[in-house]
Amino acid sequence: MTLTRRRFLTITAGFACAPRLAQANTWQGRAFGSDVAITLRGPRQDTEIALNRARAQIVEIEKLFNLYDPGSALSHLNRRGVLRNPDPRFFALMQAADQAFDLTGGLFDPTVQPLWRAFASGEGIPAARDAVGWKRVRFNRGEITLDAGQALTFNGIAQGFATDLVTELLRDQGLQKVMVNIGEYRAMGGPWRLGLSDPALGHLGTRTLTDAAIATSSPGAMSLGRADHILHPIADPQWSTVSVEAQTATLADSLSTALTLAKTDQIKEIQKPRTDLGRVTLVSKSGEVITL
């Protein structure tokens, strides 16, 4: 599959019930190279404590998965080819990536990072293609090992994973009305209204979330020379934008990335048997909007 750097998400969030905005407490900041925000409803004292804990967790997660931090665990793995005694959250994300690889028939593949670097520099593309192959990565709770020439990017799943971890933290704090945006969106309570747009076509409509997640990918939001930023060694982007609704942001994130490379029939086959997937919105390159 997949990705590379952070794609530019095209959803903005707000309360579906505007009169209650005065009861909201919102924090905005940066994480994983994107603007992020957390909005909570509840007593100010409770939401302040919860927001501080959420911000601390975001910092911890970035230290694990930030591709552009040379001190992150992911950078350590890519530099040395091995990561011993990984943080349990790192192992959990490896498992989630493995499941996304299997679910999408290999369209989701975090080993695409060398290919991204090659397209960015314009050099070494054939060798980078050869390095792609998730099934050559070996991992367990005690050690993660890459094959020769491999490097990982979690930019197609880490933001969703972080969104889920922060949402679950806030739920454990007793909060019931929450919207978390760490590159992807997950709601508790609601309803929450979201605006869906495409980089070329602009605003396309709205989505309403209650106790669910949504993620959006647009291959053309950023380019690498003549290539779109969502890459795969043998598949090309089929859609201008893909938006996926799911029970978790991790699943929505990985699928919204991978399904930009999938044809309609494959998307239907992935979607059909799963109860944890909701609507998939596809925007064709000609501007047609399809909702599955």
Side-chain angles (χ1 to χ4, degrees):
M1 118 174 159
T2 130
L3 158 94
T4 60
R5 287 182 55 182
R6 183 65 204 141
R7 59 248 190 263
F8 298 160
L9 290 179
T10 55
I11 297 178
T12 56
F15 281 106
C17 301
R20 296 182 178 180
L21 279 172
Q23 302 174 31
N25 191 1
T26 299
W27 168 78
Q28 295 177 317
R30 297 277 296 176
F32 294 100
S34 298
D35 293 328
V36 302
I38 301 172
T39 300
L40 312 177
R41 285 193 59 234
R44 176 69 61 171
Q45 182 176 356
D46 294 345
T47 57
E48 287 287 354
I49 293 171
L51 283 174
N52 287 337
R53 290 174 177 168
R55 292 167 62 183
Q57 186 174 67
I58 291 171
V59 172
E60 291 180 12
I61 299 167
E62 274 208 289
K63 291 299 292 183
L64 293 175
F65 306 121
N66 191 332
L67 186 63
Y68 307 103
D69 177 0
S72 73
L74 178 59
S75 294
H76 177 96
L77 173 61
N78 285 344
R79 188 166 53 246
R80 300 191 179 186
V82 62
L83 181 65
R84 295 185 174 87
N85 299 315
D87 185 286
R89 291 167 293 187
F90 204 110
F91 177 70
L93 186 56
M94 293 290 292
Q95 290 180 304
D98 193 53
Q99 292 165 1
F101 177 91
D102 290 340
L103 179 61
T104 62
L107 290 179
F108 185 89
D109 190 331
T111 61
V112 76
Q113 177 61 14
L115 189 59
W116 194 92
R117 290 197 302 242
F119 271 100
S121 67
E123 299 177 352
I125 294 175
R129 290 186 189 277
D130 291 341
V132 176
W134 174 254
K135 289 304 182 183
R136 303 206 308 268
V137 178
R138 300 176 298 281
F139 68 96
N140 55 46
R141 295 184 185 278
E143 184 174 287
I144 301 167
T145 305
L146 306 181
D147 204 1
Q150 288 192 316
L152 303 184
T153 172
F154 287 130
N155 282 2
I157 193 170
Q159 286 94 330
F161 186 74
T163 298
D164 285 334
L165 289 181
V166 170
T167 303
E168 290 157 11
L169 171 70
L170 295 171
R171 181 182 58 202
D172 291 344
Q173 299 297 308
L175 294 163
Q176 298 178 346
K177 296 281 189 179
V178 172
M179 172 60 79
V180 178
N181 161 27
I182 308 179
E184 319 302 348
Y185 289 82
R186 184 168 167 183
M188 288 197 304
W192 299 80
R193 185 179 299 122
L194 308 168
L196 175 64
S197 62
D198 175 83
L201 300 173
H203 180 74
L204 299 173
T206 61
R207 292 290 182 263
T208 300
L209 284 187
T210 302
D211 296 320
I214 189 168
T216 299
S217 293
S218 302
M222 185 175 66
S223 62
L224 300 171
R226 291 177 294 178
D228 292 324
H229 77 286
I230 295 180
L231 299 175
H232 189 280
I234 61 172
D236 296 318
Q238 303 295 309
W239 306 97
S240 178
T241 291
V242 173
S243 182
V244 175
E245 299 169 49
Q247 287 183 1
T248 68
T250 303
L251 180 61
D253 192 5
S254 60
L255 288 187
S256 73
T257 301
L259 296 186
T260 64
L261 307 169
K263 296 184 183 298
T264 306
D265 288 346
Q266 184 178 3
I267 295 172
K268 289 179 178 179
E269 286 301 311
I270 291 170
Q271 184 186 32
K272 185 177 179 180
R274 299 189 66 98
T275 60
D276 54 354
L277 278 179
R279 289 177 295 185
V280 176
T281 302
L282 309 171
V283 183
S284 73
K285 295 179 180 180
S286 63
E288 182 183 10
V289 180
I290 302 167
T291 300
L292 302 178

